[in-house]
Amino acid sequence: QKEVEQDPGPLSVPEGAIVSLNCTYSNSAFQYFMWYRQYSRKGPELLMYTYSSGNKEDGRFTAQVDKSSKYISLFIRDSQPSDSATYLCAMSRITSYDKVIFGPGTSLSVIP
Amino acid sequence: GAVVSQHPSRVICKSGTSVKIECRSLDFQATTMFWYRQFPKQSLMLMATSNEGSKATYEQGVEKDKFLINHASLTLSTLTVTSAHPEDSSFYICSARLSLGSYEQYFGPGTRLTVT
């Protein structure tokens, strides 16, 4: 079983839709969770990060963590064509020297 | 803030030659930098972790003599692909961590290497 699993998609939604992107993980030691957005042929861009279970909101983006289920989500409200990209979840244990484990990414297309 | 640059953005080289890729943190000091490789439509594969002033830690299966990493300062790390072969063609991305107490990584724009 991979440490982090993510549906690769592709996911295609109409403009304005609410998008739900999800990851599951197997290691209960993961305590720090991140979401990255990667446009084609570009480096990943950090969108959000959180330590705790629950929701964290930033503009149109909401990150949700459920540690009991080992499940994290990223919601995008009022999706725009510019949101079309690959979204990578990432997580790490609390020790600062631990490497970050990335999910394989979900490809999202928002259709005008 | 937290800007990371990479140079070059794209390079084409002949088989057998060496290529150096630079990764710089522009507005912060990075105690740790990371080098990743990414194949088309696949996720990031960590190659090595680089700490300033010490030897890089390579992931299993990554040849340290082929992928030379130097982290000479808190703002610069370099990856040299030695004796490049066509199978080394890939997208190489570096990232930097702000400090020992932070977990989020900030990525460079990547370097597309093509070996002919």
Side-chain angles (χ1 to χ4, degrees), chain A residues 32 34 36 38-39 41-46 49 51 86 88-89 92-100 102-105, chain B residues 10 32 34 36 38 41-44 46 49 51 59 91 93 97 99-110 112:
Chain A
Y32 195 85
M34 294 155 278
Y36 286 84
Q38 185 177 22
Y39 292 111
R41 300 180 183 181
K42 300 291 184 183
E45 169 194 8
L46 179 65
Y49 61 90
Y51 291 96
T86 297
L88 301 151
C89 64
S92 176
R93 295 185 298 180
I94 207 68
T95 307
S96 59
Y97 291 101
D98 282 344
K99 62 184 179 184
V100 173
F102 286 86
Chain B
R10 184 185 295 265
T32 306
F34 304 86
Y36 294 85
Q38 188 175 36
K41 298 187 179 181
Q42 294 188 30
S43 190
L44 303 164
L46 179 64
T49 301
N51 291 297
E59 294 299 301
F91 193 50
I93 312 176
R97 181 184 273 171
S99 65
L100 289 177
S102 70
Y103 303 91
E104 55 271 26
Q105 295 179 27
Y106 294 88
F107 286 84
R112 173 75 55 191

Coordinates of all heavy atoms in Angstrom, one line a residue, chain A residues 32 34 36 38-39 41-46 49 51 86 88-89 92-100 102-105, chain B residues 10 32 34 36 38 41-44 46 49 51 59 91 93 97 99-110 112:
Chain A
Y32 N 1.3 16.9 9.4 CA 1.4 18.2 8.7 C 1.0 18.0 7.2 O 1.5 17.1 6.6 CB 2.8 18.7 8.8 CG 3.0 20.2 8.4 CD1 2.8 21.2 9.3 CD2 3.3 20.5 7.1 CE1 2.9 22.5 9.0 CE2 3.4 21.9 6.7 CZ 3.2 22.8 7.7 OH 3.4 24.2 7.3
M34 N -0.3 19.5 3.3 CA -0.2 20.6 2.4 C -0.9 20.2 1.1 O -1.0 19.1 0.7 CB 1.3 20.8 2.1 CG 2.1 21.4 3.2 SD 3.9 21.0 3.1 CE 3.9 19.3 3.7
Y36 N -0.6 21.5 -3.0 CA 0.2 22.2 -4.0 C -0.6 22.2 -5.3 O -1.3 21.2 -5.7 CB 1.6 21.6 -4.3 CG 2.6 21.8 -3.2 CD1 2.6 21.0 -2.1 CD2 3.5 22.8 -3.3 CE1 3.5 21.2 -1.1 CE2 4.4 23.1 -2.3 CZ 4.4 22.2 -1.2 OH 5.4 22.5 -0.2
Q38 N 0.1 22.6 -9.5 CA 1.1 22.6 -10.5 C 0.5 22.7 -11.9 O -0.2 21.9 -12.3 CB 2.0 21.3 -10.4 CG 3.2 21.3 -11.4 CD 4.0 20.0 -11.2 OE1 3.6 19.0 -10.8 NE2 5.3 20.1 -11.6
Y39 N 0.9 23.9 -12.5 CA 0.5 24.0 -13.9 C 1.5 23.3 -14.8 O 2.6 23.0 -14.4 CB 0.6 25.5 -14.3 CG -0.5 26.3 -13.6 CD1 -0.2 27.3 -12.6 CD2 -1.9 26.2 -13.9 CE1 -1.2 28.0 -12.0 CE2 -2.9 26.9 -13.3 CZ -2.5 27.8 -12.3 OH -3.5 28.5 -11.7
R41 N 4.3 22.0 -16.9 CA 5.7 22.4 -17.2 C 6.2 23.5 -16.2 O 7.1 24.2 -16.6 CB 5.9 22.8 -18.6 CG 5.6 21.7 -19.6 CD 5.8 22.1 -21.0 NE 5.4 21.1 -22.0 CZ 5.5 21.2 -23.3 NH1 6.0 22.3 -23.8 NH2 5.1 20.2 -24.1
K42 N 5.5 23.6 -15.1 CA 6.0 24.5 -14.0 C 6.2 23.8 -12.7 O 5.8 22.6 -12.6 CB 4.9 25.6 -13.8 CG 4.5 26.4 -15.1 CD 5.7 27.3 -15.4 CE 5.2 28.2 -16.6 NZ 6.4 29.1 -17.1
G43 N 6.9 24.4 -11.8 CA 7.1 23.8 -10.5 C 5.8 24.0 -9.7 O 5.0 24.8 -9.9
P44 N 5.6 23.1 -8.7 CA 4.4 23.2 -7.8 C 4.4 24.4 -7.0 O 5.5 24.9 -6.6 CB 4.6 21.9 -6.9 CG 5.5 21.0 -7.6 CD 6.4 21.9 -8.4
E45 N 3.2 24.9 -6.7 CA 3.0 26.2 -6.0 C 2.2 25.8 -4.7 O 1.2 25.2 -4.8 CB 2.2 27.2 -6.8 CG 1.7 28.4 -6.1 CD 0.7 29.1 -6.9 OE1 0.2 28.6 -8.0 OE2 0.3 30.2 -6.5
L46 N 2.8 26.2 -3.5 CA 2.1 25.9 -2.3 C 0.8 26.7 -2.2 O 0.8 27.9 -2.3 CB 3.0 26.2 -1.1 CG 2.4 26.0 0.3 CD1 2.2 24.5 0.5 CD2 3.3 26.5 1.3
Y49 N -1.5 24.9 3.9 CA -1.0 23.9 4.8 C -1.7 24.0 6.1 O -2.2 25.1 6.5 CB 0.5 24.2 5.0 CG 0.9 25.5 5.6 CD1 1.0 25.7 6.9 CD2 1.2 26.6 4.7 CE1 1.4 26.9 7.5 CE2 1.5 27.8 5.3 CZ 1.7 27.9 6.7 OH 2.0 29.1 7.2
Y51 N -1.9 22.0 10.2 CA -1.5 21.0 11.2 C -2.6 20.1 11.7 O -2.4 18.9 12.0 CB -0.8 21.6 12.4 CG 0.5 22.3 12.2 CD1 0.5 23.7 12.0 CD2 1.7 21.6 12.3 CE1 1.7 24.3 11.8 CE2 2.9 22.3 12.2 CZ 2.9 23.6 11.9 OH 4.1 24.3 11.8
T86 N -2.7 20.5 -12.1 CA -2.6 19.2 -11.3 C -2.5 19.6 -9.8 O -1.7 20.5 -9.5 CB -1.5 18.4 -11.8 OG1 -1.7 18.0 -13.1 CG2 -1.3 17.1 -10.9
L88 N -1.5 18.5 -6.0 CA -0.8 17.5 -5.3 C -1.0 17.6 -3.8 O -0.9 18.8 -3.3 CB 0.7 17.6 -5.6 CG 1.2 17.5 -7.0 CD1 2.4 18.3 -7.2 CD2 1.5 16.1 -7.3
C89 N -1.4 16.6 -3.1 CA -1.4 16.6 -1.7 C 0.0 16.2 -1.2 O 0.7 15.5 -1.9 CB -2.5 15.7 -1.1 SG -2.3 14.0 -1.4
S92 N 3.7 15.3 6.0 CA 5.0 15.0 6.7 C 4.7 14.7 8.2 O 3.7 15.1 8.7 CB 5.9 16.2 6.6 OG 7.1 16.1 7.3
R93 N 5.7 13.9 8.7 CA 5.6 13.8 10.2 C 6.1 15.0 10.8 O 6.6 15.9 10.2 CB 6.5 12.6 10.6 CG 6.0 11.3 10.1 CD 6.8 10.1 10.6 NE 8.1 10.1 10.2 CZ 9.0 9.2 10.5 NH1 8.6 8.1 11.2 NH2 10.3 9.2 10.1
I94 N 6.0 15.1 12.1 CA 6.2 16.4 12.8 C 7.7 16.7 13.0 O 8.1 17.8 13.2 CB 5.5 16.4 14.2 CG1 5.1 17.8 14.6 CG2 6.3 15.7 15.2 CD1 4.1 18.5 13.7
T95 N 8.5 15.7 12.8 CA 10.0 15.9 13.0 C 10.5 16.8 11.8 O 10.2 16.4 10.7 CB 10.7 14.6 13.0 OG1 10.1 13.8 14.0 CG2 12.2 14.8 13.3
S96 N 11.2 17.8 12.1 CA 11.5 18.8 11.0 C 12.5 18.1 10.0 O 12.5 18.6 8.9 CB 12.2 20.0 11.6 OG 13.3 19.6 12.3
Y97 N 13.2 17.1 10.3 CA 14.0 16.5 9.3 C 13.4 15.5 8.4 O 14.0 15.0 7.5 CB 15.2 15.8 10.0 CG 16.2 16.8 10.7 CD1 16.1 17.1 12.0 CD2 17.1 17.5 9.9 CE1 17.0 18.0 12.6 CE2 17.9 18.4 10.4 CZ 17.9 18.7 11.8 OH 18.7 19.6 12.4
D98 N 12.1 15.2 8.7 CA 11.4 14.2 7.8 C 11.1 14.8 6.5 O 10.7 16.0 6.3 CB 10.1 13.8 8.5 CG 10.3 12.8 9.6 OD1 11.4 12.3 9.7 OD2 9.4 12.6 10.4
K99 N 11.2 13.9 5.5 CA 10.9 14.4 4.2 C 9.4 14.4 4.0 O 8.6 13.8 4.7 CB 11.5 13.5 3.1 CG 11.0 12.0 3.2 CD 11.8 11.2 2.2 CE 11.3 9.7 2.2 NZ 12.1 8.9 1.3
V100 N 9.0 15.2 3.0 CA 7.6 15.4 2.7 C 7.2 14.3 1.6 O 7.9 14.1 0.7 CB 7.3 16.8 2.1 CG1 5.9 16.9 1.6 CG2 7.6 17.8 3.2
F102 N 4.6 13.1 -1.2 CA 3.7 13.7 -2.1 C 2.7 12.6 -2.7 O 3.2 11.5 -3.0 CB 4.4 14.4 -3.3 CG 5.0 15.7 -2.9 CD1 6.3 15.7 -2.4 CD2 4.3 16.9 -3.1 CE1 6.9 16.9 -2.1 CE2 4.9 18.1 -2.7 CZ 6.2 18.1 -2.2
G103 N 1.5 13.0 -2.9 CA 0.6 12.2 -3.6 C 0.9 12.3 -5.1 O 1.6 13.2 -5.5
P104 N 0.3 11.4 -5.9 CA 0.6 11.4 -7.4 C 0.0 12.6 -8.1 O 0.3 12.9 -9.2 CB 0.1 10.1 -7.9 CG -0.9 9.7 -6.9 CD -0.5 10.3 -5.6
G105 N -1.0 13.3 -7.5 CA -1.6 14.4 -8.1 C -2.9 14.1 -8.8 O -3.1 13.0 -9.4
Chain B
R10 N 15.6 25.3 -19.5 CA 15.6 24.3 -20.4 C 17.0 24.1 -21.0 O 17.7 25.1 -21.2 CB 14.6 24.7 -21.6 CG 14.4 23.6 -22.7 CD 13.6 24.2 -23.8 NE 12.2 24.5 -23.3 CZ 11.2 23.7 -23.4 NH1 11.3 22.5 -24.0 NH2 10.0 24.1 -23.0
T32 N 17.7 23.8 4.0 CA 17.6 22.5 3.3 C 17.0 22.8 2.0 O 16.0 23.5 1.8 CB 16.6 21.6 4.1 OG1 17.1 21.4 5.5 CG2 16.6 20.2 3.5
F34 N 15.9 20.5 -1.7 CA 15.5 19.2 -2.2 C 15.6 19.2 -3.7 O 15.2 20.2 -4.4 CB 14.1 18.8 -1.8 CG 13.9 18.9 -0.3 CD1 13.5 20.1 0.3 CD2 14.0 17.8 0.5 CE1 13.3 20.2 1.7 CE2 13.8 17.8 1.9 CZ 13.4 19.0 2.5
Y36 N 14.1 17.1 -7.0 CA 13.1 16.1 -7.4 C 13.2 15.9 -9.0 O 13.7 16.7 -9.7 CB 11.7 16.6 -7.2 CG 11.3 16.7 -5.7 CD1 11.6 17.9 -5.0 CD2 10.6 15.7 -5.1 CE1 11.2 18.0 -3.7 CE2 10.2 15.8 -3.8 CZ 10.5 17.0 -3.1 OH 10.2 17.1 -1.8
Q38 N 10.7 14.6 -12.2 CA 9.3 14.3 -12.5 C 9.1 13.9 -13.9 O 9.5 14.6 -14.9 CB 8.4 15.6 -12.2 CG 6.9 15.4 -12.4 CD 6.1 16.6 -12.0 OE1 6.6 17.7 -12.3 NE2 5.0 16.4 -11.3
K41 N 3.2 13.5 -16.4 CA 2.0 13.0 -15.8 C 2.2 12.1 -14.6 O 1.4 11.3 -14.2 CB 1.1 12.3 -16.8 CG 0.6 13.2 -17.9 CD -0.4 12.6 -18.9 CE -0.8 13.6 -19.9 NZ -1.8 13.0 -20.8
Q42 N 3.4 12.3 -14.0 CA 3.7 11.5 -12.8 C 4.0 12.5 -11.7 O 4.3 13.7 -11.9 CB 4.8 10.5 -13.0 CG 4.4 9.4 -14.0 CD 5.5 8.3 -14.0 OE1 6.2 8.1 -13.1 NE2 5.6 7.7 -15.2
S43 N 4.0 12.0 -10.4 CA 4.3 12.9 -9.3 C 5.8 13.1 -9.1 O 6.6 12.6 -9.9 CB 3.7 12.3 -8.0 OG 3.8 13.3 -7.0
L44 N 6.1 13.8 -8.1 CA 7.5 14.2 -7.9 C 8.2 13.0 -7.2 O 7.7 12.3 -6.3 CB 7.5 15.3 -6.9 CG 6.8 16.6 -7.3 CD1 6.6 17.5 -6.1 CD2 7.6 17.3 -8.4
L46 N 11.5 12.2 -5.2 CA 12.6 12.9 -4.4 C 13.9 12.2 -4.8 O 14.0 10.9 -4.7 CB 12.4 12.8 -2.9 CG 13.4 13.4 -2.0 CD1 13.6 14.9 -2.3 CD2 13.1 13.1 -0.6
T49 N 18.2 15.1 -0.6 CA 18.0 16.2 0.3 C 19.4 16.8 0.6 O 20.4 16.1 0.9 CB 17.4 15.7 1.7 OG1 16.2 15.1 1.4 CG2 17.2 16.9 2.6
N51 N 21.6 19.7 2.6 CA 21.8 20.6 3.7 C 23.0 21.4 3.5 O 24.1 20.9 3.1 CB 21.8 19.9 5.0 CG 20.5 19.3 5.4 OD1 19.5 20.0 5.5 ND2 20.4 18.0 5.5
E59 N 18.2 9.4 -2.1 CA 17.2 8.4 -1.9 C 17.7 7.1 -2.5 O 18.6 7.1 -3.4 CB 15.9 8.9 -2.6 CG 15.3 10.1 -1.9 CD 14.9 9.8 -0.5 OE1 14.1 8.9 -0.2 OE2 15.4 10.5 0.4
F91 N 12.2 16.3 -16.2 CA 11.9 17.6 -15.6 C 12.5 17.5 -14.2 O 12.1 16.7 -13.4 CB 10.4 17.8 -15.6 CG 10.0 19.2 -15.3 CD1 10.6 20.3 -16.0 CD2 9.0 19.5 -14.4 CE1 10.2 21.6 -15.7 CE2 8.6 20.8 -14.1 CZ 9.2 21.9 -14.8
I93 N 13.2 19.4 -10.6 CA 12.7 20.5 -9.9 C 13.4 20.6 -8.5 O 13.5 19.5 -7.9 CB 11.2 20.4 -9.6 CG1 10.4 20.1 -10.9 CG2 10.6 21.7 -9.0 CD1 8.9 19.8 -10.7
R97 N 13.3 24.7 1.8 CA 12.5 24.8 3.1 C 13.1 26.0 3.8 O 14.3 26.2 3.9 CB 12.7 23.5 3.9 CG 12.0 23.5 5.2 CD 12.4 22.2 5.9 NE 11.5 21.1 5.5 CZ 11.7 19.8 5.9 NH1 12.8 19.5 6.6 NH2 10.9 18.8 5.5
S99 N 13.1 27.0 7.0 CA 13.9 26.8 8.2 C 13.6 25.4 8.8 O 12.8 24.7 8.3 CB 13.5 27.9 9.3 OG 12.2 27.7 9.7
L100 N 14.4 25.1 9.8 CA 14.3 23.7 10.4 C 12.9 23.6 11.0 O 12.4 22.5 11.1 CB 15.3 23.5 11.4 CG 16.7 23.3 10.9 CD1 17.7 23.2 12.1 CD2 16.8 22.1 10.0
G101 N 12.3 24.6 11.4 CA 11.0 24.5 12.0 C 9.8 24.5 11.1 O 8.6 24.4 11.5
S102 N 10.0 24.7 9.8 CA 8.9 24.7 8.9 C 8.9 23.5 8.0 O 9.9 22.8 7.9 CB 9.0 26.0 8.0 OG 10.1 25.8 7.1
Y103 N 7.7 23.1 7.5 CA 7.6 21.9 6.7 C 7.3 22.2 5.3 O 7.6 21.4 4.4 CB 6.5 21.1 7.3 CG 6.7 20.8 8.8 CD1 6.3 21.6 9.8 CD2 7.5 19.7 9.1 CE1 6.6 21.3 11.1 CE2 7.8 19.4 10.4 CZ 7.3 20.2 11.4 OH 7.6 19.9 12.7
E104 N 6.7 23.4 5.0 CA 6.3 23.6 3.7 C 7.5 23.9 2.8 O 8.5 24.5 3.3 CB 5.3 24.8 3.6 CG 5.7 26.1 4.2 CD 5.4 26.2 5.7 OE1 5.3 25.2 6.4 OE2 5.3 27.3 6.1
Q105 N 7.5 23.4 1.6 CA 8.6 23.6 0.7 C 8.1 24.5 -0.4 O 7.0 24.5 -0.9 CB 9.0 22.2 0.0 CG 9.5 21.3 1.0 CD 9.9 19.9 0.4 OE1 10.2 19.8 -0.8 NE2 9.9 18.9 1.2
Y106 N 9.0 25.3 -0.9 CA 8.8 26.3 -2.0 C 9.6 25.8 -3.2 O 10.8 25.6 -3.1 CB 9.1 27.7 -1.6 CG 8.2 28.2 -0.5 CD1 8.5 27.9 0.8 CD2 6.9 28.8 -0.8 CE1 7.6 28.3 1.8 CE2 6.1 29.2 0.2 CZ 6.4 28.9 1.5 OH 5.5 29.3 2.5
F107 N 8.9 25.6 -4.3 CA 9.5 25.0 -5.5 C 10.0 26.0 -6.5 O 9.5 27.1 -6.7 CB 8.5 24.1 -6.2 CG 8.3 22.8 -5.4 CD1 7.4 22.8 -4.4 CD2 9.0 21.7 -5.7 CE1 7.2 21.6 -3.7 CE2 8.8 20.5 -5.1 CZ 7.9 20.4 -4.0
G108 N 11.1 25.6 -7.2 CA 11.5 26.4 -8.3 C 10.7 26.0 -9.5 O 9.8 25.2 -9.5
P109 N 10.9 26.7 -10.6 CA 10.0 26.5 -11.8 C 10.4 25.3 -12.6 O 9.7 24.9 -13.6 CB 10.3 27.8 -12.7 CG 11.7 28.2 -12.2 CD 11.8 27.9 -10.8
G110 N 11.5 24.6 -12.3 CA 11.9 23.4 -12.9 C 12.8 23.6 -14.1 O 12.9 24.7 -14.7
R112 N 13.9 21.6 -17.7 CA 13.6 20.5 -18.6 C 14.9 20.1 -19.3 O 15.5 20.9 -20.0 CB 12.6 21.0 -19.7 CG 12.4 20.0 -20.9 CD 11.6 18.8 -20.5 NE 10.3 19.3 -19.9 CZ 9.4 18.4 -19.3 NH1 9.8 17.2 -19.1 NH2 8.3 18.9 -18.8

